[in-house]
Amino acid sequence: MIQQITPTTDDIFYPESDGKPMADNTLQFELITTIKYGLEVHFKDEPNVFVAGDLLWYPIQGQPKINQAPDVMVVIGRPKGHRRSYKTWVEDNLNPQVTFEIASETNTIKELEEKKLKFYQTHGVEEYYLYDPDRTKLKGWLRSGKKLEPIPQMRGWVSPRLGITFELVASQLVLYYPNGEPFASYLEISEQRDMAQQQAELERLAKEQERQRAEQAEQALELERTRMKALLEQLKAKGINPDDFNL
């Protein structure tokens, strides 16, 4: 059941949009949605894991100008549900533990690796991941004490909080579930579903053909039994012992 989170009751206005688009291009949008929905699938059986995409996060009550809208964020310890923004003081003072940013041409290194990194470091994020598809750069930072320290090698990195694995495959970011299956885009999921349905239909047809062959074999056997029975009866009627013919 989806829970509706009660909004804050203070009188300060907290905008629900930063006026910026969720993505600047189709590739960035696809990556964001693939990560967001892939994580939702990953945590579908965990009622207290909240995953959001492009949602404004306000870490300090009374200071609406201090905010960020991570491309994807994960809060472990808060219930799933719809929110118009994420206000830390409304959420048992739990900040997102993991954030993702997908760079676009309009993003600068200063914005992503200085400004946002500093914000996430200041407000308790434990893991920050940055992927730049245009430059094929994958970076990550892991909290150590009060600082987010760079992760030396991101290829093959397993997130301590999420348990997912990061890889670059043919210069593209691919995330893997703990069972080794990759995150998939909506189109890939749709194609996989269609293939699964086609495979199921082929298996159904194969079983039906096998059933029909078995029925035909049984009918042929029954016909042979009937023919032999009639032949034996004819021989007996003529006073001939069927055993003499090894029937």
Side-chain angles (χ1 to χ4, degrees), residues 177-191:
Y177 296 107
N179 65 3
E181 292 184 7
F183 281 28
S185 67
Y186 177 83
L187 178 59
E188 289 169 334
I189 291 172
S190 178
E191 290 173 344

Side-chain angles (χ1 to χ4, degrees), residues 229-242 244-245 247:
K229 183 178 179 181
L231 178 59
L232 292 173
E233 289 177 351
Q234 290 175 8
L235 291 174
K236 288 179 179 179
K238 295 179 180 180
I240 302 172
N241 185 359
D244 295 337
F245 295 88
L247 297 176

Side-chain angles (χ1 to χ4, degrees), residues 48 57 61 86 88 108 117 119 121 145 176 199 224 237 240:
N48 288 315
W57 164 29
Q61 186 174 13
Y86 189 89
T88 295
T108 64
L117 175 62
F119 182 94
Q121 179 172 270
Y176 292 88
Q199 182 63 31
E224 180 63 16
I240 302 172

